Amino acid sequence: MTHQIKDLADYKKTYEHSIKNPEAFWESEAESFTWMKKWDKVLEWNFDEPKIEWFKGAKLNITVNCLDRHIKDRGDQTALLWEANDPSEPSKHISYSELLGKVCQCANALKELGIGKGDRVVFYMPMVPELAIGVLACARIGAIHSVVFAGFSAQALADRVDDAQAKMIICSDYNNRGAKHIAVKDVVDEAMDKSCNSVEHVLVQKNGNNEVNWSDDTDVWWHEIVDKQSKECEPEEMDAEDMLFILYTSGSTGKPKGVVHTCGGYMVYTCSSFRNVFQYKDGDVYWCTADIGWITGHSYIVYGPLLAGATSLMFEGVPTYPDAGRFWHICEKHKVNQFYTAPTAIRALMACGNNWPDNYDLSSLKLLGSVGEPINEEAWHWYDEHIGKKNSPIIDTWWQTETGGIMITPLPGITDAKPTFASYPLPGIQPILLDSDGNILEGNNVEGLLCVNFPWPSILRTTYGDHARCKLTYFSAFPGYYFTGDGARRDEDGRIRVIGRVDDVLNVSGHRMGTAEVENAINEHENVIESAVVGYPHDIKGQGIYAYVIINGVPSDDIINEIRAVVTREIGPIAKPDKIQVVPGLPKTRSGKIMRRILRKIASNELSNMGDVSTLLNPEVVDEVIAGRL
Ligand code: WTA
């Protein structure tokens, strides 16, 4: 196993070694895995092209490391502990041996359906065990998985399928989310009607009792093809730099891009970070509440925990069903030791009152994690007092889809935890702050743009099908550095606090969204002439979506509702604007660029300090926009 940091002195020593001798450090971290062939070179890189290769020349299969290598010592241990949406449904305990068998069966079925190494498979599924099984089955045979969050619309799904030229979609027939019973397969059918011409088969996992439309040409039931397969499947030999998966994420421009992670480095980093950050010990029950549709679910429900031989809890439902005590009920029921969730969930549950957590025995909890967005001080203290009983360190973990794993975080019981601070970098991570001219801000008590100046094993390698975009987005703003898109502050003691995005990316309930993406959707409405979308502070969601629209015709509630419906259709309900203000014009610079800074201030009700508007092309609209603000 990778090194597990045990105390502060060990952290300092390990960190220093990892920075001074990164190759020696990562080589020793990588030693303990099962490789079919060891590397010729630990690292080769440049951030200019960019081209980053870790464990060059090595051969492996990540599922051998997630599953096969654990069979001898922990074959009967629960690997996945699944809790259904409906609390009366029994939990499932899938052992490492069983999981290996199921993954192999699914892998054999994929092969029978013509899927092989390098083919792309898109998942559009709720949080059922088959999602984790299917993802691992792809990895077993070298197919590249791309999980699409099942809350996205048919259009968003089709866009991702087309971009990846996926050969197969794996979905469920129904998604049970709280009291809702969503016909997931219908969404896939709609996507297939729109485009998805590369798709040869749709593999459907049965998750409901109602009928679904069926196309004999493409559709195959999971239980009909998977269950009859052999429980053995030879793992495909993969190069360390072969693609493991694509995960689409939003940027400040254009359509979401497919972030690419590769086999070797991602494996080493997710395992190493999981063991250090969660201080996982044998016998612990670890629960991350994320959806596997996001990077957190990939790295810290599936890969990291399984690589480390952990018991990983997977929950199908939502925090408030059947009531606001559900999370705490699950913690009590399964004696959860490590609990990892998002600030938006904490804020939503905090608003439901203290009785809910107070009613359950939460004494098994050893640490509490937070991820996805900045955690505000009030939520941090509530989490600390009412869930952790001031007895479980809070780890505020900062990272991104592109980083593959946690980058900056306190280590529980090892480094201090200051509210709202992600604090210290993990071994191998070299964060720096730059000013807008690209000068490094040395020392403490400084604020700037968060960059990283040296590669780590799970850094993204490219954006699928468009390497130029990867270079432009992450490696061009400040040549020689990876630019995160976040602003951050280093306090007087050197702890880092991530403040939020400095680009046009929103973070709504921990979901990343590009303002341009939402604007493009809004502009699909026939009455919309132009729109501008900004974020504003929102008590529960962290950020809400505020849309300014210029429409042709008479504004009406109907049009506003239709605009919301168009966004739901184009992206999904998570992108629906909270506020839509009809405006006569948008403040623009003389070169015609929308002045978002002003719109953000108006949306946030910060009217006292609008800055200089006299250089605008149309300064008069500012007062009109203010007058009509919602
Ligand atoms: C934000 C999620 C503050 C940040 C793992 C980042 C955070 C974006 C934190 C990535 C945190 C994530 N504190 N901000 N602890 N964690 N973020 O790709 O703006 O969905 O750039 O990855 O979320 O979101 P993504």
Side-chain angles (χ1 to χ4, degrees):
M1 282 285 168
T2 55
H3 177 62
Q4 191 170 43
I5 293 167
K6 52 182 191 304
D7 53 32
L8 187 59
D10 189 13
Y11 167 69
K12 287 184 174 160
K13 192 176 113 217
T14 307
Y15 184 74
E16 208 169 292
H17 170 56
S18 75
I19 300 307
K20 282 198 179 128
N21 300 296
E23 296 186 31
F25 172 73
W26 287 115
E27 179 152 46
S28 71
E29 286 291 273
E31 287 293 345
S32 63
F33 293 90
T34 303
W35 299 88
M36 292 161 174
K37 174 183 171 288
K38 285 269 170 83
W39 45 92
D40 304 316
K41 199 155 187 272
V42 177
L43 172 64
E44 212 164 273
W45 69 289
N46 72 70
F47 275 175
D48 303 324
E49 288 176 62
K51 188 167 170 72
I52 303 149
E53 294 168 286
W54 279 97
F55 310 111
K56 197 171 172 169
K59 306 284 178 194
L60 76 150
N61 187 290
I62 196 169
T63 69
V64 169
N65 288 282
C66 288
L67 303 169
D68 308 61
R69 79 171 164 143
H70 297 314
I71 300 304
K72 192 165 134 279
D73 294 335
R74 55 178 93 242
D76 294 334
Q77 180 200 310
T78 301
L80 284 183
L81 201 180
W82 183 75
E83 176 73 21
N85 178 59
D86 175 354
S88 66
E89 213 181 293
S91 322
K92 287 184 185 164
H93 295 255
I94 305 173
S95 71
Y96 272 94
S97 302
E98 287 164 343
L99 186 58
L100 174 60
K102 286 175 190 290
V103 167
C104 287
Q105 284 186 308
C106 180
N108 288 327
L110 296 182
K111 284 207 255 185
E112 189 181 320
L113 292 170
I115 300 296
K117 184 171 178 172
D119 289 336
R120 276 80 57 215
V121 174
V122 163
F123 287 79
Y124 188 75
M125 283 176 113
M127 287 285 286
V128 289
E130 287 79 0
L131 173 53
I133 292 165
V135 156
L136 292 164
C138 285
R140 187 81 175 175
I141 62 171
I144 300 163
H145 57 79
S146 178
V147 183
V148 176
F149 175 61
F152 278 120
S153 68
Q155 185 61 52
L157 171 63
D159 290 344
R160 287 156 177 77
V161 167
D162 291 344
D163 188 79
Q165 287 292 291
K167 215 164 154 182
M168 179 185 275
I169 299 175
I170 305 186
C171 67
S172 299
D173 54 354
Y174 285 92
N175 179 356
N176 307 309
R177 264 182 89 70
K180 287 193 220 147
H181 199 54
I182 304 154
V184 187
K185 169 75 163 51
D186 286 356
V187 183
V188 174
D189 290 346
E190 203 187 321
M192 290 286 283
D193 288 342
K194 286 177 189 291
S195 52
C196 303
N197 297 328
S198 56
V199 174
E200 292 171 8
H201 288 107
V202 178
L203 183 60
V204 190
Q205 180 261 343
K206 195 159 175 51
N207 200 36
N209 298 317
N210 298 342
E211 296 279 299
V212 283
N213 285 330
W214 202 255
S215 151
D216 288 331
D217 296 343
T218 50
D219 300 349
V220 184
W221 281 112
W222 176 292
H223 56 268
E224 286 181 2
I225 191 157
V226 173
D227 295 357
K228 65 177 189 199
Q229 303 287 334
S230 155
K231 290 186 175 156
E232 282 174 29
C233 172
E234 273 301 301
E236 186 74 31
E237 184 175 289
M238 303 297 284
D239 193 276
E241 283 300 333
D242 278 339
M243 284 187 204
L244 175 62
F245 65 86
I246 307 169
L247 187 58
Y248 285 84
T249 192
S250 297
S252 46
T253 54
K255 295 220 165 194
K257 46 191 176 292
V259 166
V260 170
H261 286 289
T262 57
C263 297
Y266 180 81
M267 171 176 81
V268 173
Y269 195 80
T270 51
C271 182
S272 147
S273 55
F274 174 79
R275 283 171 48 77
N276 282 327
V277 174
F278 297 100
Q279 289 290 306
Y280 186 88
K281 302 283 187 288
D282 270 349
D284 284 349
V285 174
Y286 159 87
W287 180 20
C288 166
T289 71
D291 192 290
I292 294 177
W294 313 115
I295 191 67
T296 307
H298 282 63
S299 302
Y300 298 111
I301 295 178
V302 182
Y303 287 112
L306 296 181
L307 286 162
T311 296
S312 179
L313 197 153
M314 179 175 175
F315 174 42
E316 183 184 28
V318 296
T320 48
Y321 179 83
D323 57 46
R326 188 67 194 278
F327 270 7
W328 321 128
H329 180 223
I330 296 174
C331 285
E332 176 184 282
K333 179 176 174 190
H334 295 295
K335 300 197 169 42
V336 170
N337 301 112
Q338 292 92 358
F339 178 73
Y340 191 30
T341 196
T344 187
I346 299 167
R347 287 189 297 263
L349 293 173
M350 180 169 83
C352 297
N354 300 340
N355 283 345
W356 293 107
D358 290 352
N359 273 335
Y360 294 95
D361 176 7
L362 301 177
S363 59
S364 58
L365 291 171
K366 295 199 279 192
L367 78 85
L368 304 174
S370 172
V371 60
E373 47 174 323
I375 180 168
N376 50 310
E377 209 146 344
E378 196 190 353
W380 196 100
H381 286 295
W382 186 82
Y383 203 23
D384 186 35
E385 280 164 36
H386 294 276
I387 310 306
K389 319 287 180 200
K390 295 209 164 220
N391 211 4
S392 300
I394 294 181
I395 50 165
D396 177 1
T397 65
W398 174 85
W399 57 297
Q400 309 177 294
T401 305
E402 296 85 345
T403 69
I406 296 168
M407 301 283 280
I408 305 180
T409 178
L411 293 178
I414 295 175
T415 60
D416 53 28
K418 178 174 171 184
T420 77
F421 279 75
S423 299
Y424 306 108
L426 284 182
I429 305 306
Q430 305 187 30
I432 50 166
L433 298 180
L434 301 183
D435 68 16
S436 49
D437 296 325
N439 304 307
I440 296 189
L441 299 168
E442 307 278 2
N444 292 337
N445 253 328
V446 288
E447 189 170 316
L449 304 167
L450 181 61
C451 293
V452 189
N453 76 349
F454 195 84
W456 60 99
S458 62
I459 185 175
L460 87 161
R461 301 301 196 267
T462 188
T463 45
Y464 191 76
D466 192 353
H467 194 64
R469 190 159 176 212
C470 172
K471 176 175 171 156
L472 183 70
T473 312
Y474 307 106
F475 298 94
S476 298
F478 305 105
Y481 305 114
Y482 165 78
F483 175 46
T484 65
D486 279 317
R489 187 160 83 77
R490 197 159 46 222
D491 77 358
E492 54 288 353
D493 301 313
R495 291 182 206 92
I496 292 173
R497 174 184 192 169
V498 177
I499 298 160
R501 304 290 305 196
V502 295
D503 54 10
D504 292 320
V505 171
L506 306 175
N507 194 327
V508 180
S509 303
H511 302 324
R512 247 171 97 166
M513 239 167 293
T515 50
E517 214 182 326
V518 182
E519 286 161 9
N520 289 340
I522 291 173
N523 297 347
E524 290 288 311
H525 189 283
E526 57 179 0
N527 290 98
V528 173
I529 296 170
E530 198 179 5
S531 64
V533 164
V534 297
Y536 71 99
H538 186 287
D539 283 349
I540 305 285
K541 298 176 173 186
Q543 261 187 323
I545 302 180
Y546 197 117
Y548 299 90
V549 294
I550 305 174
I551 61 169
N552 114 30
V554 185
S556 68
D557 286 351
D558 282 350
I559 292 189
I560 300 295
N561 291 334
E562 281 165 27
I563 291 174
R564 288 209 168 88
V566 170
V567 175
T568 303
R569 188 189 73 207
E570 292 292 309
I571 306 175
I574 54 176
K576 229 173 8 182
D578 297 275
K579 297 183 178 178
I580 301 177
Q581 179 184 347
V582 177
V583 292
L586 293 166
K588 289 192 175 167
T589 62
R590 290 193 193 279
S591 58
K593 256 185 83 177
I594 296 173
M595 283 287 273
R596 287 170 189 283
R597 181 178 57 79
I598 290 175
L599 294 175
R600 270 195 289 268
K601 287 224 156 110
I602 297 174
S604 310
N605 204 10
E606 290 172 26
L607 304 178
S608 57
N609 174 24
M610 296 297 289
D612 183 14
V613 299
S614 64
T615 57
L616 290 179
L617 185 68
N618 49 353
E620 70 286 353
V621 303
V622 174
D623 284 340
E624 293 179 70
V625 174
I626 291 175
R629 65 177 289 280
L630 299 171

